[in-house]
């Protein structure tokens, strides 16, 4: 199954993908995670994209596509994958659609106010990528990642000024993908306001019947 998760930054794509991945046995491929890991490890890619991510803009299409296609050739992606954060522009979608066909695009929908506070309250573990929310889903022990013992922190791009820029970029460059995949009858809408567990359950039953 080739699945794509679509929705604003903060709609919960990453949280959903992390728990869905083991349930459906498909790798979670997040371009944001790939870029952040590269920055964390100071690789050539990391140096190239660091200021772009910090500003809330998008990494150039060509670079993003080549990173994704390289990742998709790895053996674990042969049976399918959960794409999180890609494609994110119409040119990326067109490049992708020429190579493969998605089975479904899971669109997560929520109101703007919740969206913004989810981002500004979010904490992420720099070592394993686990996602937390200061108020609603804090780590069990303060400042200690449940999964790996790392220290969850705020992402630099989750500060309010950058959040606004990212949402602006989403509506300008990414939201047109809804129409693009609606025309191909791939869009399936889900209410992203429900609890992570309820959303997971709903998406899992949907995928079982796909
Ligand atoms: P979010 O969806 O919460 O913004 P991500 O982790 O998906 O977070 O992405 C973080 C940043 O990584 C984006 O703001 C952008 O700079 C870059 N990025 C991720 N995916 C793409 C993509 N497909 N194309 C271009 N840039 C991307
Ligand atoms: Zn961790």
């Amino acid at each position: 199954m080739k699945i794509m998760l679509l929705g604003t930054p903060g709609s919960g794509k990453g949280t959903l993908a992390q728990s869905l991945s083991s349930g459906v046995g498909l790798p979670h491929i997040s371009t944001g995670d790939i870029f952040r890991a590269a920055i964390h490890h100071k690789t050539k890619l990391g140096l190239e994209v660091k200021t772009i991510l910090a500003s809330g803009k998008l990494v150039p299409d060509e670079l993003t596509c080549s990173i994704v296609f390289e990742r998709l050739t790895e053996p674990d992606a042969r049976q399918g994958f959960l794409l999180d954060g890609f494609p994110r522009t119409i040119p990326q979608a067109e490049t992708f659609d020429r190579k493969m066909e998605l089975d479904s695009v899971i669109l997560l929908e929520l109101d703007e106010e919740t969206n913004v506070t989810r981002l500004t309250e979010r904490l992420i573990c720099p070592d394993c990528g686990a996602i937390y929310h200061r108020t609603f889903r804090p780590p069990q022990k303060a400042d200690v990642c449940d999964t790996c013992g790392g220290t969850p922190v705020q992402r630099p791009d989750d500060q309010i000024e950058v959040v606004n820029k990212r949402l602006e970029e989403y509506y300008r460059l990414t939201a047109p993908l809804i129409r693009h995949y609606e025309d191909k009858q791939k869009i399936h809408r889900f209410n992203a306001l429900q609890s992570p567990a309820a959303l997971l359950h709903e998406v899992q039953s949907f995928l079982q019947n796909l």
Side-chain angles (χ1 to χ4, degrees):
M1 253 188 321
K2 301 183 179 71
I3 308 295
M4 173 198 172
L5 304 175
L6 181 61
T8 50
S11 58
K13 302 183 296 292
T15 302
L16 174 66
Q18 284 179 0
S19 37
L20 197 58
S21 173
S22 48
V24 294
L26 296 173
H28 169 206
I29 300 180
S30 155
T31 39
D33 284 352
I34 294 173
F35 294 141
R36 276 187 295 279
I39 294 171
H40 192 56
H41 295 112
K42 302 194 168 63
T43 65
K44 183 167 163 279
L45 172 68
L47 294 176
E48 230 171 306
V49 302
K50 188 172 180 178
T51 50
I52 304 178
L53 263 78
S55 72
K57 294 198 188 122
L58 295 187
V59 175
D61 289 333
E62 213 176 306
L63 177 58
T64 306
C65 288
S66 72
I67 299 290
V68 171
F69 291 131
E70 196 182 304
R71 173 65 185 86
L72 291 180
T73 61
E74 286 176 35
D76 66 338
R78 227 172 269 153
Q79 306 302 323
F81 41 77
L82 298 172
L83 279 179
D84 164 11
F86 179 90
R88 216 181 182 95
T89 64
I90 291 285
Q92 287 180 16
E94 285 171 345
T95 306
F96 180 85
D97 295 347
R98 274 197 295 274
K99 294 207 180 218
M100 354 189 170
E101 189 181 344
L102 288 167
D103 294 296
S104 170
V105 176
I106 310 269
L107 176 62
L108 301 184
E109 299 182 299
L110 80 173
D111 65 281
E112 208 170 316
E113 195 184 320
T114 317
N115 200 154
V116 172
T117 52
R118 273 195 193 173
L119 288 168
T120 53
E121 296 263 294
R122 174 161 71 179
L123 298 173
I124 188 164
C125 174
D127 296 321
C128 76
I131 302 167
Y132 301 94
H133 184 291
R134 270 190 232 278
T135 317
F136 299 123
R137 227 162 86 104
Q140 283 170 4
K141 194 164 160 239
D143 300 328
V144 181
C145 174
D146 296 347
T147 315
C148 80
T151 310
V153 291
Q154 185 179 52
R155 266 169 52 176
D157 59 343
D158 278 345
Q159 286 157 37
I160 187 69
E161 304 77 33
V162 189
V163 161
N164 289 332
K165 177 71 188 170
R166 281 161 60 210
L167 288 171
E168 199 184 299
E169 293 289 81
Y170 174 85
Y171 289 112
R172 192 167 70 87
L173 298 167
T174 309
L177 294 185
I178 300 174
R179 182 67 200 277
H180 175 86
Y181 286 113
E182 241 164 17
D183 290 347
K184 298 178 188 292
Q185 276 145 27
K186 299 293 183 195
I187 295 275
H188 299 99
R189 293 170 188 266
F190 291 85
N191 174 7
L193 280 175
Q194 52 190 326
S195 71
L199 177 65
L200 173 66
H201 182 76
E202 202 179 309
V203 173
Q204 250 167 347
S205 3
F206 163 75
L207 291 177
Q208 267 155 19
N209 297 314
L210 193 70

